[in-house]
Amino acid sequence: MPQKKDLELKHVAEINGEKFLISTIKMEVRHYWLTQHENVNIYETMVFEKKDGKVQYENALYNKRYTTYDNAIEGHQYIVQNIENIVSSTRECRSKL
């Protein structure tokens, strides 16, 4: 299996004075009790709110996973470009739960 490229993209977006960290990283899936999951890596983009200058890591507002490096980069850029709609839609859905 080919080695997946490392990736760490960060972007801080601002919407009406609120700040959001958009982070895309390569991460290892660590379900070692399943032999089919040895050395499995994926890419993940997460959006976190920033409150009082601190990133709220414990409560991601949005996340998306990718199996390829190129899709992760494209996905990160899509989220950066559409962050206002993503935040609005996510908050609207959560308000109905």
Side-chain angles (χ1 to χ4, degrees):
M1 175 180 281
Q3 184 72 12
K4 292 195 175 189
K5 297 178 190 177
D6 280 334
L7 182 65
E8 188 172 322
L9 302 173
K10 307 287 184 212
H11 180 84
V12 176
E14 188 169 333
I15 303 168
N16 300 323
E18 288 185 273
K19 292 187 179 181
F20 301 88
L21 172 65
I22 303 165
S23 172
T24 301
I25 61 168
K26 173 186 161 186
M27 59 184 252
E28 180 181 8
V29 176
R30 292 182 277 179
H31 297 287
Y32 293 118
W33 54 275
L34 293 172
T35 56
Q36 72 211 40
H37 290 290
E38 291 179 18
N39 300 314
V40 174
N41 292 286
I42 61 169
Y43 301 96
E44 182 173 40
T45 300
M46 298 181 84
V47 177
F48 303 97
E49 292 180 88
K50 288 185 76 177
K51 292 182 180 177
D52 300 321
K54 294 182 182 179
V55 177
Q56 306 300 300
Y57 288 112
E58 70 280 0
N59 189 22
L61 186 65
Y62 179 86
N63 74 298
K64 175 79 173 157
R65 290 185 173 181
Y66 315 92
T67 56
T68 71
Y69 177 86
D70 291 336
N71 286 349
I73 291 173
E74 290 172 17
H76 182 90
Q77 290 304 320
Y78 176 85
I79 292 168
V80 167
Q81 293 169 357
N82 293 281
I83 190 64
E84 192 168 345
N85 289 333
I86 290 167
V87 168
S88 175
S89 296
T90 301
R91 285 180 170 168
E92 182 179 334
C93 287
R94 285 186 177 182
S95 73
K96 294 178 183 179
L97 295 176

